[in-house]
Each structure stands twice: as structure tokens, then as C-alpha cells.
Amino acid sequence: MVGVGIFDSLRRRGRGGRRRGTMRRATSEDTRHLEEWASTRRGVEAYVEPRTTVTETTVVLIAHDGEWTRRRIGSLPAALHFGQKHSIPVYEVSRVGYPRRMREYTERKKHGQA
């Protein structure tokens, strides 16, 4: 006889019903968010963050004023395709770092000035 507690199935799964330790993949919702965000801002650039053991490849879109958003993208080739499709320059953050305007925007937002 195997003892199964009433909450065991909840403990084995993380947010969204996923099993703990499984990585959430990029979805069409992620892509839709990126497309909508980029289409409503000026001077958008894309900065690709590499996949880690806990996070899929992500892309940070940064507008001319430093406002930014981050979503999963799937892979570097997927990010390059996204950039080409939307005429957005794409950079690898591990090679170039983040632009100063992003840090300045985040700092202004902390102080309620953004």
C-alpha cells in the first residue's frame, strides 16, 4: 500500500501546474507581448540573455528612454529572427552588457520618477 497525502500532487508541481525543476518554454503569449511592446515604443533594441539551468533564453527589449521588458524567446536564432522581422537591432548581453539608459530608467522608477 502506498500512502498518498491529499496535498502531495500540489507539492510536486510549481506555479502553473508545472513539475518542479522543469523549465517554462517561450510561448506565443511571450512573443505577442514583445511584439505589442515594441510596436508602441521608439528606438527599441533587443538584448538576448543566455539560457541558464533555471531559465530559458530571454530577450530584454529596451526603448529609447530606458523603459524595458523581458520575456522568454527560446533561443538566440529565435531572437535574431524576431529582431529581423521587426527591424530591431539584436545584441548578446554577455558580449555588450546592458545599456546605461536601462539602469538609469530602473533607478528613476525606484524613486517614482519614471
Side-chain angles (χ1 to χ4, degrees):
M1 179 177 211
V2 176
V4 177
I6 190 166
F7 296 108
D8 286 350
S9 64
L10 295 176
R11 276 190 215 106
R12 284 191 295 266
R13 300 199 180 273
R15 282 191 223 150
R18 292 182 321 275
R19 293 185 66 89
R20 242 189 266 169
T22 60
M23 197 178 309
R24 185 174 81 77
R25 302 272 180 212
T27 65
S28 59
E29 276 185 41
D30 294 322
T31 304
R32 192 169 27 259
H33 170 80
L34 294 170
E35 289 172 341
E36 289 173 9
W37 196 93
S39 71
T40 59
R41 274 115 181 135
R42 292 187 298 119
V44 175
E45 297 176 327
Y47 290 80
V48 182
E49 299 171 319
R51 178 182 176 159
T52 68
T53 56
V54 294
T55 306
E56 184 63 66
T57 302
T58 53
V59 66
V60 179
L61 297 184
I62 305 173
H64 78 284
D65 62 353
E67 182 183 6
W68 59 275
T69 189
R70 174 184 287 122
R71 290 294 185 277
R72 288 169 179 83
I73 194 76
S75 66
L76 177 57
L80 293 169
H81 176 74
F82 178 87
Q84 184 177 24
K85 181 178 176 185
H86 299 285
S87 300
I88 296 172
V90 178
Y91 305 98
E92 290 181 63
V93 79
S94 61
R95 293 182 179 207
V96 300
Y98 297 101
R100 177 179 292 173
R101 70 183 185 276
M102 178 186 177
R103 292 187 296 275
E104 290 170 347
Y105 177 86
T106 301
E107 193 62 30
R108 286 192 313 269
K109 194 167 180 171
K110 273 190 218 174
H111 299 293
Q113 300 168 355

